[in-house]
Every structure is written in structure tokens, then in C-alpha cells.
Amino acid sequence: MRTLSLTARLTLIFTLVTTTSFALVGVLLFKAASQRIIEQDETNLVLSARHLRRLAGEFAALPDLVAHQDRLVISVLGDASNALRITGSDGQTLVDHNPLHLPLAFPDTIAPDQRLVPTMLESLRDTHGDTVRGMAAAGKLQDGTLITIIVARSLADRQLLLRHYQRDMVRRLLAGMAAAILLGYLLIRQALRPLRTLAGQAATISAHNLGTRLSASNAPPELHALTATLNDMLSRLEEGFSRVWRFTVDLAHDLRTPIGNLRGTNEVALTRPRTSEEYQALLGSNIEECDRVSRMIENVLFLARAESPQFALQRSVFDVGDELQLIGDYFEGIAADAEVDIRVAGHARLLADRDLFRRAVGNLLSNALRYTPRHHAIDVRVEEAPGAIRILVENPGDGIAPEHLDKLFDRFYRVDRARGDSAHSAGLGLSIVRSILDLHGGRVTAESEPSGTTRFTLWFPTAPP
Ligand SMILES: Nc1ncnc2c1ncn2[C@@H]1O[C@H](COP(=O)(O)OP(=O)(O)OP(=O)(O)O)[C@@H](O)[C@H]1O
Ligand SMILES: [Mg+2]
């Protein structure tokens, strides 16, 4: 089933509520009005009967009553639906006024001394099936003669009136309902306009104008939170886009340098004939440059893969001390060339991806080797901390100024771009370290003391997520 629009839903609810209340009020009003009319008629009927009984009591004898029957009939003349019949004790009709030929054979006759009240009224049906209300009450003349006074009223005209009233009410109710639907629809549409405005604003935003923000200045307060949330989302998207953009620019820039170097050295070599040793040296340096470019591409690819949600860690338990020793041995040659010592200490068992662990520590160690002065030592140790295993890589040197510390882990960030010899550094190593720690649910921190000691710490949680 197609889902209804918010306007349609609200209009439906509004219509349902108004129609139900209209109908309820209508039915109650109709009931009250019809009851009131019937009550009024019945009271009139009882009053007429009482009046007639009193009048009859003023007549001396039957002939007197028959002679003055106009005085009796006049009391019911006011309404064409009324009927009056007076009969003697032997059943003969003395007075008869019944223009509508209503049935008047009420089964009970009320005793002459009984007070007449509306509850004594009885019902009969005429030939058309309409109700006739009335009563037969005994009366006494002055000479003690008993007579029966029958008063009645047909309800046909009242039933007709109420049927008209009912039809009228239904017509008005339908018209009211139609007006309510239309008015409700228009008002709800108007009320939802800020939502459409917001959607319109959002529709104009694309990758080219992510700086645009939605405005909720004229919107009701309910929409302010939504607008703020959407704007926050836009800020995050903008930040993400600009990061990707910066990354692309930096990548292009950093690929240009080695390729420029390659081209330059080759061009220079070709300016004049060279010996085969010179060509060999050139090809050797070309291969080195190619290695550098492919290392960089490999690093960029690794970072992209590490960010994808499908990246799966190959976790295993290993001894960190042994692993650090292996990594230290691997860097032994470079350390010897740099005349720097690598000191490894500590033991701990860790559940982590061993290849990524090697890569993270290797990146820290290769940085440390670059910045440690000759005849100094790099300390690599593992310690157990509450809830984490931490690996510290510490080296003496010039240190890193505090303003750079939190940016070190950004891609392509190098403290001194001009000095940092871009032939060997791309500024990707630490961002890879951070990605690896993120994948393990851990973190990496950097500290640099005024003495010049720089310390990087890897925190691997002991209970991985
Ligand atoms: N131990 C250290 N001592 C002083 N500065 C450091 C140290 N480690 C890193 N840095 C600074 O942090 C910057 C970023 O390091 P990172 O490893 O991300 O990049 P890189 O070493 O320059 O290049 P890449 O690792 O991609 O070859 C370095 O350029 C350097 O300026
Ligand atoms: Mg590095």
C-alpha cells in the first residue's frame, strides 16, 4: 500500500474528529428537541383533560352538558391533530370532535377522583400506522352522573416535522464535513509549509555547495532541532569532502616530485653519451625512485582499504616482546648505518593482527631512526596498563613543537615540508599507524619533552571490541 502523505494523514484525522463530534452533537440535539416537543404535547393533552373534567363538573345533568357542548369542544380546537369524545355511562356518544378519525378506544379508564398526570397517557395506532397518544378519564356531573372524557392527539405531524428536521440535519452535517475537510486540508498544508521549504532548501545542496546551511528562521520550534541535525550532518559531509579533496591534491603533489626527479635525471643523462657504469647507476636510482612511488601508492591504498567497513583483521595471540625483537632485528642494518642503537624491553601477550602490528611499530621505528642523532639509542618497550597493552617508541632528538603534535597523524602531514626531504618521506606513516590502532579499537599518542625526547605510544585494548 502506498504510504499517505503527512497532509493527507492529518486531514483524515482532523476530518474524523470533527465529523464524529458533529454527528454526536447532532444526534444529542435531535434527541433532546424531539423529547421536548413530545413532552410539551403530552402536558397540553393532560391539561386539556383536567380542564374538561372540571368543566363537566359544572354541568347539572347530561342534557345540560349536551346543550353546551361547544364550551367543551373549544378547549381542544386549537390544534387540528386533537380529538375529543365524551360518552355516557351506557357507552352512547354525547360529544364527538374527531376531524382526523383517530382511534379512541383506550383500554383503561381513569377513576373520577384520580389526579391526571402524563404517565397515564396511552398509545394507539391509527390506520396509517402513526402513533396516537391519549387517555380516557371518568368525570362526574353535579347530579352524580358518570361520563368518560377521551382526549387524544395524533403524533403524525410531529413525526413528519422530526423527519424533516433529521434530513435537514444530515444535509448540514455533510456540508459541514465537506467544509471541515477543505478547511483542514488548507490549514494543514499551510502549517506544513516550513517542512516543504526545508526540503526545497535541502534539494539545492550538492557536492559543489556543501557550505550552504538550512535556515529555520521562520520555521516552528519543532523543526529547529531537525534543521540543526541536518546542518551538523552537512558540516560533517563538508569536512569529509574537503579532507578527500586535500588528500587528492597532496597525493598528486607528492607523486609529481619523484616523477619529476625521474624525468630530470634521465634527461640530464641523455644530454651526452655516458659510460655503461653511469647508465647502471642511473637505472639503479630509477628503480629506487619507482620503489618509492609504488610504496606511496601501496600506503594510500592501505589507508583507503582500512577505512572500508569490510576490512577484516586477522587476529592472533602473540608475545609482543618477541615480536618487537624481530622488528628491531629487521631494522638492524639501517640502525647500524645511522650508528644508532635499538633497545627492546618487556613481555606481554596480545591479541591483534600481527602483520598490522608489525607495520605500526615499523613505521614508528623508521621515523625514530630518521630523527635520532648518531651514537644515541632508541627505546622500544612493552608495558601492561589497566585495560591495555602499551608499546612505547622513544627517541632523543630535536623533538616536535607542541603545535604539531595533534596534526602529525593527518595524512601527508610533515612538520617541516621544505626541510623534510620529500624524497624519503610522504607524511603517510603516522596516519597508517592511527588507522591500524583504530581498527583494533585502540589509539596512538605522541609526546615530545623539552629535553628533545619524542615518545609515541600505541594503546592496544586487552579486551578488543
Ligand atoms: N620520532 C620523531 N621525531 C621527530 N619528528 C617526527 C618523529 N616521527 C615523526 N615525526 C614528524 O612527523 C611527521 C609525520 O610522520 P609520518 O611518519 O606520518 O610521515 P613521514 O615519516 O614524513 O613519511 P612516511 O612515513 O610516509 O614515509 C614527519 O614528517 C616528522 O616531521
Ligand atoms: Mg614515517
Side-chain angles (χ1 to χ4, degrees), residues 299 367-368 370-371 395 399-400 408 413-416 424-431 454 456:
N299 280 344
N367 281 351
R370 191 152 5 112
Y371 295 100
N395 70 283
I400 304 168
L408 289 183
Y413 191 82
R414 293 180 303 238
V415 171
D416 186 347
H424 296 102
S425 94
L428 290 173
L430 288 179
S431 49
T454 301
F456 286 88

Side-chain angles (χ1 to χ4, degrees), residues 27 130 194 215 227 319 338 385 427 447:
V27 167
D130 292 319
S215 139
T227 314
D319 186 284
E447 296 150 87

Side-chain angles (χ1 to χ4, degrees), residues 226-387:
L226 176 68
T227 314
T229 313
L230 287 174
N231 280 338
D232 285 350
M233 183 187 78
L234 281 174
S235 299
R236 288 194 299 275
L237 282 177
E238 191 187 14
E239 164 66 18
F241 260 73
S242 86
R243 243 202 340 258
V244 171
W245 181 76
R246 275 200 311 272
F247 182 63
T248 314
V249 169
D250 289 344
L251 180 63
H253 179 268
D254 279 66
L255 281 173
R256 208 166 50 184
T257 314
I259 288 170
N261 287 351
L262 261 177
R263 206 193 141 84
T265 47
N266 287 342
E267 245 169 15
V268 170
L270 284 177
T271 48
R272 60 183 173 81
R274 305 277 175 181
T275 65
S276 73
E277 288 79 26
E278 282 174 322
Y279 280 126
Q280 265 178 3
L282 176 69
L283 289 179
S285 108
N286 280 358
I287 288 173
E288 237 174 67
E289 208 65 57
C290 286
D291 282 349
R292 210 180 88 68
V293 172
S294 60
R295 220 175 23 247
M296 199 160 109
I297 289 171
E298 199 269 325
N299 280 344
V300 168
L301 278 178
F302 173 82
L303 279 170
R305 264 207 324 270
E307 275 185 9
S308 101
Q310 283 92 35
F311 192 93
L313 291 176
Q314 312 281 321
R315 289 181 203 269
S316 61
V317 178
F318 55 88
D319 186 284
V320 180
D322 295 349
E323 201 59 46
L324 292 180
Q325 197 61 58
L326 281 176
I327 303 167
D329 292 348
Y330 175 80
F331 281 93
E332 200 49 63
I334 310 171
D337 287 349
E339 294 176 61
V340 165
D341 238 8
I342 299 176
R343 297 190 296 230
V344 176
H347 278 283
R349 307 219 24 103
L350 176 66
L351 173 68
D353 187 311
R354 196 195 288 238
D355 286 342
L356 295 187
F357 176 87
R358 272 185 203 162
R359 192 165 185 162
V361 177
N363 278 351
L364 294 183
L365 211 49
S366 89
N367 281 351
L369 277 167
R370 191 152 5 112
Y371 295 100
T372 307
R374 278 170 196 280
H375 312 302
H376 285 74
I378 300 169
D379 277 304
V380 183
R381 32 175 222 285
V382 54
E383 289 173 357
E384 292 195 38

